[in-house]
Amino acid sequence: MKDDVARHALDPCAGSRPLMTVEAAIAHALCLAAAVGEVETVPLDNAIGRVLAQDVTAPFPLPPFDNSAMDGYALRSVDLVGDGPWCLKVVARVAAGEDAAKVAPLNPGQAVRIFTGAPIPSGADAVVMQEKVRRDGDSLILTSPVACGDCIRRAGEDAARGAVLLPAGTLIGAREIGAIASVGLPQIAVRRRINVALICTGSELRQPGEALGPGQIYNSNRFMMVAALRQPWIRMTDLGAVADDPDRLREALVQASRKADLIVTTGGVSVGEEDHMTAQLRRAGGHVEVMKIAMKPGKPLTVGRLGRAVFLGLPGNPVAAFTTWKIIGQRIAARLSGQRDTVRPGVQAEVTETFSRRPGRQEYRPARVVGASGGGSPRIELLDRSFSAKISLICQSDGLAVIPAAAEQVTAGARLEFIPL
Ligand code: AMP
Ligand code: MG
């Protein structure tokens, strides 16, 4: 943590405790998130967006039999010796779904009309595309040679018997459904959905549709987070908005912890007198494991535990809540659900303008793509530096540019990681 201490020294807002790097915060938070163990079986039609509980292996080779990759003619490549053209006799026909055993093994000089996906008849060792030959009655005239194995999809070339097609922990999408169906499974074992409880805090919050009184704003986080949590692998319970009242907040936390694997809250994690979250988490019997992160926005993001639930306290500013959910929260939820950690690095993008900044926190700055560099990577324009309360900015942006904590100046043309939104 030497590095943290050095970064802390650069951040005048750090208080008495060193800030934790984003990487350390993520690593620590992920350690808290043990995958739910329960497994259920779902029909393949309902498996989209669920998390595979076991490896899917091929119980037989894929494809199961040698078959034609083209519409054309199956032949014996040894028949095409010497100089062409060659003439073969078409003696039979096999289409997809037919049994190749109905065709007698090919004799020298014979060919079989064949279609894509049809099994290769015995004796044939190559297929020639119909576009490359001329047909005259029963005669097939070829002018160029065909090599053994041409246009044949071999049994097992996609997956050998016993090969792992999909590892446990895969989030099932359309292509995974296709793979599962290809091995003949009508249903599949998935992890149970994780239970996520959502609590938004703030005495100033009103529901869209209600009239705003003085000092009041609409509860954007609630709708944003409900939308973010609407995933097939999540069962979400919305516990509504709770005023900045310590007792009511604690009651909501306790209620949430009864069923939830993950409690997501927004607001109340800063250090103001109306920020009661961590105190009430502790009073409810929970504890904090990660706080004060060298992240902008997101310094107040807090991760801890309450009973058997992981606690994730997102900051109240909607952009900060959105960003911290995207960068850290989502990974905690995914880990709880049993997903393999599949975070891919963002793309490298070139900044358009030189700017200086106060070092100390890793910044996730909304940015807009304005073109492409000579090398083909996106060129990005960074948006307003004070952005964490501006929902309009995040909506105008194409992604988040990641400015390293130590950077004091970023020069035009420099490359930053860019996380598309
Ligand atoms: P807090 O983290 O509670 O101090 O909130 C920080 C800022 O975010 C304050 O300006 C709040 O009014 C605002 N805020 C908190 N929660 C929400 C919410 N659910 N929707 C919109 N803004 C919020
Ligand atoms: Mg608040």
Side-chain angles (χ1 to χ4, degrees), residues 160-205:
R161 183 199 304 273
V164 174
L165 287 182
L166 304 169
T170 299
L171 184 64
I172 301 172
R175 61 192 156 145
E176 285 78 16
I177 301 251
I180 298 165
S182 75
V183 295
L185 296 176
Q187 56 192 26
I188 191 75
V190 296
R191 301 247 185 185
R192 75 152 164 86
R193 294 182 160 96
I194 61 166
N195 293 312
V196 179
L198 177 66
I199 303 170
C200 293
T201 71
S203 300
E204 71 279 32
L205 303 177

Side-chain angles (χ1 to χ4, degrees), residues 174-395:
R175 61 192 156 145
E176 285 78 16
I177 301 251
I180 298 165
S182 75
V183 295
L185 296 176
Q187 56 192 26
I188 191 75
V190 296
R191 301 247 185 185
R192 75 152 164 86
R193 294 182 160 96
I194 61 166
N195 293 312
V196 179
L198 177 66
I199 303 170
C200 293
T201 71
S203 300
E204 71 279 32
L205 303 177
R206 285 294 168 275
Q207 281 280 95
E210 293 174 0
L212 286 184
Q216 298 181 336
I217 59 170
Y218 287 119
N219 184 353
S220 6
N221 288 343
R222 186 245 165 214
F223 290 85
M224 181 173 75
M225 291 313 301
V226 166
L229 293 167
R230 187 158 289 158
Q231 304 289 340
W233 49 277
I234 291 177
R235 187 181 296 114
M236 205 259 321
T237 308
D238 176 19
L239 296 180
V242 178
D244 294 316
D245 171 295
D247 293 334
R248 287 182 54 198
L249 183 55
R250 194 177 61 256
E251 281 157 24
L253 287 170
V254 169
Q255 188 195 340
S257 72
R258 289 201 189 105
K259 248 189 68 189
D261 303 297
L262 175 65
I263 303 170
V264 178
T265 67
T266 71
V269 281
S270 303
V271 290
E273 278 164 38
E274 295 295 338
D275 294 317
H276 305 293
M277 191 65 80
T278 51
Q280 294 314 310
L281 178 73
R282 290 191 179 104
R283 277 199 63 191
H287 64 273
V288 168
E289 295 261 355
V290 176
M291 66 188 300
K292 296 204 172 142
I293 304 172
M295 178 176 187
K296 186 181 175 191
K299 189 172 132 210
L301 177 78
T302 302
V303 187
R305 243 185 199 297
L306 180 54
R308 29 169 295 284
V310 174
F311 169 83
L312 175 68
L314 304 176
N317 277 314
V319 176
F322 175 83
T323 307
T324 48
W325 170 255
K326 174 105 191 144
I327 304 298
I328 300 183
Q330 244 178 17
R331 289 182 63 179
I332 297 173
R335 174 66 67 92
L336 280 167
S337 76
Q339 289 175 57
R340 289 178 302 136
D341 212 14
T342 51
V343 175
R344 301 186 184 108
V347 294
Q348 292 290 310
E350 218 177 271
V351 298
T352 51
E353 272 177 57
T354 299
F355 64 94
S356 350
R357 67 188 282 278
R358 191 164 65 194
R361 290 199 273 157
Q362 180 154 303
E363 192 171 334
Y364 294 82
R365 176 90 69 90
R368 202 161 35 201
V369 176
V370 290
S373 71
S377 49
R379 293 180 73 238
I380 51 169
E381 176 194 11
L382 304 199
L383 304 180
D384 196 340
R385 68 175 58 207
S386 79
F387 58 86
S388 64
K390 296 177 183 163
I391 196 89
S392 67
L393 271 191
I394 197 101
C395 294

